[in-house]
Amino acid sequence: MGRPAPSSIRNVCIVGHSDAGKTSLADALLFKAGAVTRQGNVKDKSSVFDHDDQEHEKQHSLESALAHCEWDGLRFNIIDTPGYPDFIGDAVGAISASDGVIICVNASQGVQVNTRRVFDVAEKLRKARIIVLTKGDMPDLDFEKSVAEVQTWFGKRCVPIALPNSFGPGFSETEKFLRNKGGTSDLAKAWYQSFVEGAVEFDDDVTMKYIEGEEIGTEDLKRCFCGAVGTGMVTPIISTSVEKDVGLRDVLDSIKVFVPDADVAAGRRGLYPDLKAAGERVQVSDLGNDEFYGQVFKVVIDKHVGKVAFLKVHNGVVKHGDIIHNSRGGRKEKVGHLVEPMGKELEATASAVVGDTVALTKIDSIDLGDTISSATDPMSFAPIPFPRPMAQLAVRPATRGDETKISEAFSKLSNEIPTFEVDRDPITNELIAHAMSNLQLEMAFQRLKDRYGIEVTTSPARIPYRETVQVTAEGHYRHKKQSGGRGQFGEVFLKIMPCEPGSGLQLDWDIVGGSIPSNFAPAIEKGIREKMAGGVIAGYPILDAHVSVHDGKFHDVDSSEAAFKIAGGRAFAEAIKAARPILLEPILDVEIVIPGAAMGDVSGDLNTRRGRIQGMDAKGQFQIIKAHVPKAEMGEYPRVLTSLTSGEGSFSYEECGYEAVPGNVQQQIIADYKPHEEEE
């Protein structure tokens, strides 16, 4: 059987908050379309999409999963995604690979935090959106209130396109008033009019006709409906009940009509390496159909298959046996195994065309986000905008023999989990694991143990403080040691002065009269640099120092490079202690998004964390706080913010510089360090 034409392919992902019924809807759509003979169910572990052992245990999705079905002669590629905010990285990858986004809203729970986040991602990536009210058969529901809440969060251009006969236990059918231009009830007619008003703005000529009261032809209306939804100008709302098989056909029909086909959605832009300086991007479709281009949006390490790289084909055709190039590093590989996923099953296919979501297996050089191409000089697509992980822990292998294996294992995990990163802090020298939450960190460490047999111990990450000085001061040290035979001698006088951050070590050789021969200068500098790296007052590095070596003594026989290295380092340490040394701490520029009702609690908590509020703003029902907060005070903030906002708050941050640590805090840090110093 040949591949479907791009014009008959629709790519959608299903997103929303946890318990919004995403996986149940995805399984039901497959069954409704006849792709499976039995409707999958999360509870009895028969879901096509939730097939991992951990997902079976926890009864919810932990990562995205792909499947496909045929509907009315079209091919639908469906990606189901996790609903917990901890795993939003998988949802972002799925949205980037899709041309339409089905946003599930639990009708009894309303619009929740992760629903808002994924809606914002879909909006920023300019994807077609369809909102599906799930569990419409639950008791005590009010359809108009549900629609009003959606419109409160996402705007009045979110409009129902079908009216349920009864929202709640009596929900059994829908009236598709969009087809018959308004339906029978006043409410249906009003919503139809709202949909038309938003849709006609897709075309300026049709807008003028509408304003002037002219009748809009059926074909013009249909074109505006499709174009307005496809570009995100209007968002349809559909009501469903998976349990009662109500509204599923409406969802499938809406995917067919409103989600852009692969040909229309293929117009992505890429950047050639030689154009990076100018920032000029090239339209992929302008290259013609000869060159294949795709982007990896998901990576899985399968214990049987190995690395599986899922990619969306954006241009051309890729076939079994083709030579492909990776724009990251220019490495070329041969396509040995090309498969299309159906849940956990990987079905072999000979080729893939524009719009296909397929996977390459057993090519270890391909990583998440890579642009893959048949071109010898490939362009690169923009990176997938995965959110920055906000939680972190210091990690180390529990077994000494695992130290050599852990780096490779962490590299594989961070390629597989979009928001999991591991790096080594250059100041504290700790290995730091980053994720969206402690829950995601725990999941990653469990996978590390189950898959690679490596256990880790964790602790809060040390804060990368720095040491510096406030005034100019002198330092002196005489190193003299005699133990029979040749001794050791070196004496150094130096001065340290404050300098600009980022200037590093500025070393002036101001020796006059040859009191120290210049051939000992490198040894003195080495001693100073070693002291800078290890710190003086609390064990943290001194990154910037202006030092003048201006006097000293040497001995013709006993002086050596080793002696002057010791003398230089210890003279530097004495100067630091006399120059009113202080600790500097990293400051974070934090943006916190919270419900308005939590403003008092959150701002009060920031005050206890030495935070300084820089500004406030509002977005819908939410308040946005911008503040500068010491990094040392943010260790438990993900958990605290969740508690203060009942899970409705979120935050992000960027490091924005260093500031002096308050005196009382500095005294405690120095006191904690001294026992270690004495041991040494």
Side-chain angles (χ1 to χ4, degrees):
M1 180 178 176
R3 301 301 303 170
S7 59
S8 66
I9 298 174
R10 305 288 188 274
N11 288 290
V12 296
C13 64
I14 302 180
V15 300
H17 198 79
S18 179
D19 199 35
K22 301 178 300 302
T23 304
S24 296
L25 176 65
D27 279 315
L29 294 179
L30 289 186
F31 180 68
K32 188 74 173 177
V36 293
T37 57
R38 178 192 173 198
Q39 183 168 322
N41 187 290
V42 174
K43 292 181 180 179
D44 66 15
K45 303 178 182 179
S46 63
S47 169
V48 172
F49 295 92
D50 281 4
H51 50 76
D52 183 80
D53 290 341
Q54 281 186 298
E55 292 175 324
H56 289 164
E57 178 186 343
K58 296 182 180 296
Q59 296 280 289
H60 63 76
S61 303
L62 295 174
E63 58 186 4
S64 58
L66 289 74
H68 53 84
C69 63
E70 308 290 330
W71 181 254
D72 204 9
L74 302 180
R75 161 74 172 243
F76 291 178
N77 296 319
I78 300 174
I79 311 177
D80 179 45
T81 66
Y84 276 93
D86 316 66
F87 310 114
I88 192 173
D90 271 74
V92 173
I95 292 170
S96 74
S98 300
D99 305 312
V101 182
I102 308 298
I103 300 170
C104 290
V105 176
N106 184 326
S108 63
Q109 299 293 329
V111 177
Q112 295 173 278
V113 57
N114 210 46
T115 313
R116 297 191 291 273
R117 292 178 185 172
V118 293
F119 188 96
D120 288 344
V121 173
E123 186 174 44
K124 288 175 182 175
L125 293 179
R126 299 180 180 179
K127 304 293 184 177
R129 280 149 274 156
I130 299 172
I131 292 175
V132 174
L133 296 175
T134 61
K135 307 186 181 185
D137 57 338
M138 299 292 287
D140 302 321
L141 296 181
D142 185 310
F143 180 64
E144 291 185 56
K145 285 185 179 178
S146 294
V147 172
E149 183 178 3
V150 169
Q151 291 182 335
T152 296
W153 288 108
F154 304 134
K156 296 294 184 181
R157 294 295 173 84
C158 298
V159 185
I161 60 171
L163 187 64
N165 65 324
S166 173
F167 218 41
F171 182 32
S172 60
E173 62 179 352
T174 61
E175 178 190 0
K176 303 169 185 64
F177 56 78
L178 201 61
R179 291 181 177 177
N180 53 17
K181 296 189 176 182
T184 57
S185 69
D186 290 341
L187 185 59
K189 288 174 179 165
W191 274 327
Y192 172 78
Q193 200 61 37
S194 295
F195 199 90
V196 171
E197 288 174 358
V200 295
E201 292 185 10
F202 178 73
D203 186 296
D204 291 341
D205 292 336
V206 176
T207 301
M208 290 305 299
K209 288 182 181 180
Y210 181 78
I211 293 173
E212 293 170 1
E214 296 183 32
E215 183 177 352
I216 310 299
T218 301
E219 289 303 313
D220 278 342
L221 271 180
K222 183 178 179 180
R223 180 171 52 81
C224 287
F225 286 170
C226 295
V229 175
T231 56
M233 297 172 65
V234 179
T235 302
I237 300 175
I238 301 171
S239 303
T240 64
S241 167
V242 167
E243 295 291 331
K244 293 190 172 185
D245 186 16
V246 183
L248 300 180
R249 180 177 290 273
D250 296 348
V251 176
L252 290 166
D253 287 342
S254 294
I255 294 172
K256 171 190 172 182
V257 173
F258 294 127
V259 174
D261 64 55
D263 262 346
V264 172
R268 290 200 58 189
R269 295 169 70 80
L271 188 67
Y272 277 114
D274 57 353
L275 295 178
K276 283 187 177 179
E280 181 184 346
R281 290 193 172 272
V282 179
Q283 196 77 13
V284 176
S285 55
D286 291 343
L287 303 175
N289 292 324
D290 294 335
E291 291 188 353
F292 152 70
Y293 272 94
Q295 186 172 32
V296 177
F297 65 91
K298 176 180 173 64
V299 169
V300 169
I301 310 295
D302 186 270
K303 60 184 177 182
H304 301 298
V305 181
K307 179 181 279 191
V308 183
F310 296 80
L311 63 93
K312 166 77 173 294
V313 179
H314 291 289
N315 197 74
V317 179
V318 60
K319 302 185 294 296
H320 174 82
D322 281 354
I323 300 299
I324 56 175
H325 298 79
N326 191 334
S327 66
R328 179 182 52 82
R331 183 165 177 169
K332 67 179 182 178
E333 302 278 2
K334 183 177 181 180
V335 179
H337 297 84
L338 188 64
V339 297
E340 53 184 356
M342 187 68 177
K344 67 178 179 180
E345 303 298 329
L346 299 176
E347 304 167 354
T349 182
S351 63
V353 300
V354 175
D356 277 335
T357 48
V358 292
L360 300 171
T361 63
K362 299 182 180 179
I363 303 181
D364 290 338
S365 64
I366 296 178
D367 290 341
L368 183 63
D370 282 352
T371 299
I372 309 301
S373 171
S374 61
T376 55
D377 182 25
M379 66 172 71
S380 298
F381 291 127
I384 299 172
F386 294 116
R388 178 178 178 176
M390 295 290 111
Q392 62 179 26
L393 284 172
V395 295
R396 52 199 166 278
T399 305
R400 291 184 66 89
D402 289 337
E403 292 172 348
T404 56
K405 299 190 297 182
I406 197 169
S407 294
E408 182 180 355
F410 271 145
S411 177
K412 290 179 178 179
L413 281 181
S414 55
N415 202 348
E416 189 176 11
I417 305 172
T419 52
F420 178 75
E421 302 172 358
V422 179
D423 55 34
R424 188 168 294 279
D425 190 297
I427 292 180
T428 65
N429 202 36
E430 288 182 317
L431 196 63
I432 309 295
H434 309 261
M436 294 303 295
S437 67
N438 285 342
L439 173 64
Q440 191 177 46
L441 285 170
E442 290 170 9
M443 187 198 79
F445 299 150
Q446 186 63 46
R447 192 173 293 184
L448 185 73
K449 178 183 176 182
D450 294 344
R451 187 177 294 167
Y452 305 104
I454 300 173
E455 293 190 60
V456 296
T457 58
T458 64
S459 60
R462 291 177 61 204
I463 303 303
Y465 296 106
R466 299 176 183 176
E467 299 180 13
T468 191
V469 298
Q470 299 181 82
V471 298
T472 299
E474 297 277 350
H476 160 247
Y477 189 81
R478 169 184 284 197
H479 180 64
K480 183 177 182 181
K481 189 174 182 182
Q482 196 74 38
S483 56
R486 182 176 176 178
Q488 296 182 33
F489 181 83
E491 186 173 11
V492 174
F493 292 83
L494 56 74
K495 179 169 63 177
I496 187 169
M497 297 156 277
C499 60
E500 288 296 318
S503 57
L505 173 62
Q506 301 175 51
L507 184 60
D508 298 334
W509 187 254
D510 293 328
I511 297 296
V512 178
S515 58
I516 303 176
S518 60
N519 60 296
F520 290 123
I524 294 172
E525 179 178 347
K526 186 175 181 180
I528 291 172
R529 289 191 181 277
E530 285 185 1
K531 281 295 181 183
M532 288 179 68
V536 173
I537 61 172
Y540 292 98
I542 302 164
L543 300 186
D544 308 300
H546 188 179
V547 179
S548 168
V549 179
H550 58 82
D551 202 359
K553 292 181 182 178
F554 79 103
H555 188 278
D556 290 334
V557 176
D558 292 344
S559 288
S560 65
E561 291 185 356
F564 271 104
K565 188 187 90 165
I566 294 171
R570 294 189 179 179
F572 177 79
E574 291 303 314
I576 290 286
K577 292 174 183 178
R580 289 173 50 194
I582 58 171
L583 289 178
L584 300 176
E585 63 181 340
I587 303 297
L588 305 181
D589 186 3
V590 185
E591 181 174 286
I592 310 166
V593 183
I594 56 171
M599 173 65 82
D601 290 339
V602 173
S603 58
D605 177 73
L606 283 175
N607 287 333
T608 68
R609 297 174 185 278
R610 299 190 281 127
R612 303 190 306 274
I613 294 177
Q614 304 296 305
M616 297 184 184
D617 201 353
K619 183 178 181 181
Q621 302 289 313
F622 271 54
Q623 296 293 317
I624 301 173
I625 300 176
K626 296 183 179 181
H628 287 171
V629 188
K631 187 174 184 177
E633 304 289 348
M634 294 293 286
E636 291 293 315
Y637 199 66
R639 179 187 58 79
V640 172
L641 185 64
T642 297
S643 175
L644 292 176
T645 63
S646 301
E648 292 291 297
S650 62
F651 77 102
S652 60
Y653 66 78
E654 297 285 344
E655 291 195 7
C656 63
Y658 274 73
E659 294 181 4
V661 174
N664 60 325
V665 178
Q666 176 169 310
Q667 289 174 9
Q668 185 61 53
I669 295 171
I670 294 174
D672 291 341
Y673 171 71
K674 280 184 177 179
H676 303 291
E677 186 181 47
E678 288 165 3
E679 287 172 12
E680 292 174 3

